[in-house]
């Protein structure tokens, strides 16, 4: 399996699949926001940023998967997945154990050199309440599902990282 993951990480298809899954999740979030009317909170916006990081890793990996750029993509992937798990867990704790002393910010804090909320307010402006559970599926809220999604990204990313030293076996017709 590790040889297979190594082989996949050296091709564009797996990296594009990573980017497309993250894009599908981003589009789903925008559907919830703009069609269903569920306003994202600050933690939701930060989780979106982590998801954009995973998508960015897929794009970086797809650019040149057989070069050392693949390592940069793996690092971006793992960092984004770790941050996504952390943020989703924190958001879940705010929802499950509401506390007037532990709340989220009123607006997302982006660096001055990257004011995403000014550039794309339809995507990065928070208007919701972090403690509110406006949507659930099978008894789990959205941040709980995001823990599962980011954990899956993290596990697969770690397996791809572990698989990097394993080269694919060369298959020769005559067994040399």
């Amino acid at each position: 399996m590790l040889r297979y993951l190594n082989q996949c990480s050296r091709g564009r298809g797996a990296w594009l699949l990573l980017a497309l899954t993250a894009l599908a999740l981003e589009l789903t979030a925008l559907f919830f926001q703009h069609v269903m009317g569920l306003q994202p909170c600050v933690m939701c916006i930060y989780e979106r940023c982590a998801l954009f990081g995973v998508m960015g890793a897929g794009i970086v990996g797809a650019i040149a998967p057989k070069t050392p750029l693949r390592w940069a993509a793996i690092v971006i992937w793992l960092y984004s997945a770790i941050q996504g798990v952390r943020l989703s867990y924190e958001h879940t704790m705010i929802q499950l154990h509401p506390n007037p002393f532990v709340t989220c910010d009123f607006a997302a804090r982006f660096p001055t050199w990257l004011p995403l909320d000014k550039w794309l307010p339809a995507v990065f402006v928070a208007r919701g309440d972090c403690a509110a559970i406006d949507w659930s599926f099978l008894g789990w809220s959205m941040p709980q599902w995001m823990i599962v999604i980011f954990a899956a990204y993290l596990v697969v990313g770690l397996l791809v990282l572990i698989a990097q030293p394993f080269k694919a076996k060369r298959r020769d017709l005559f067994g040399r």
Side-chain angles (χ1 to χ4, degrees):
M1 178 180 91
L2 292 176
R3 291 183 200 284
Y4 177 73
L5 287 174
N6 182 313
Q7 181 183 357
C8 288
S9 74
R10 295 175 187 273
R12 283 190 172 88
W15 291 106
L16 290 174
L17 180 63
L18 177 68
L20 286 175
T21 59
L23 176 64
L25 289 167
E26 291 288 356
L27 292 174
T28 302
L30 291 173
F31 175 82
F32 280 129
Q33 179 180 352
H34 295 289
V35 177
M36 293 179 64
L38 302 176
Q39 294 302 317
C41 66
V42 172
M43 294 301 290
C44 295
I45 298 299
Y46 292 153
E47 290 161 22
R48 280 186 190 179
C49 291
L51 206 49
F52 273 116
V54 172
M55 184 173 20
I59 293 168
V60 168
I63 290 172
K66 294 181 182 172
T67 67
L69 193 58
R70 179 179 77 251
W71 288 98
I74 293 171
V75 169
I76 295 167
W77 179 1
L78 292 173
Y79 177 77
S80 298
I82 289 168
Q83 291 303 314
V85 168
R86 183 186 65 77
L87 290 164
S88 300
Y89 177 78
E90 187 177 323
H91 191 181
T92 299
M93 290 300 106
I94 290 171
Q95 285 186 342
L96 295 180
H97 309 289
N99 183 342
F101 302 109
V102 180
T103 61
C104 59
D105 296 332
F106 291 110
R109 292 176 298 184
F110 292 108
T112 55
W113 55 271
L114 190 67
L116 295 174
D117 54 339
K118 307 281 187 286
W119 293 346
L120 288 169
V123 178
F124 293 107
V125 170
R127 292 184 179 92
D129 178 16
C130 291
I133 300 175
D134 297 329
W135 178 90
S136 66
F137 180 68
L138 298 177
W140 283 9
S141 67
M142 203 171 300
Q144 290 172 311
W145 282 108
M146 291 309 297
I147 291 172
V148 172
I149 290 166
F150 281 119
Y153 278 136
L154 182 59
V155 167
V156 174
L158 286 172
L159 287 173
V160 168
L161 176 66
I162 292 168
Q164 291 310 298
F166 292 88
K167 302 288 184 203
K169 286 184 181 177
R170 188 168 177 200
R171 303 201 181 227
D172 194 354
L173 183 62
F174 299 106
R176 292 183 196 164

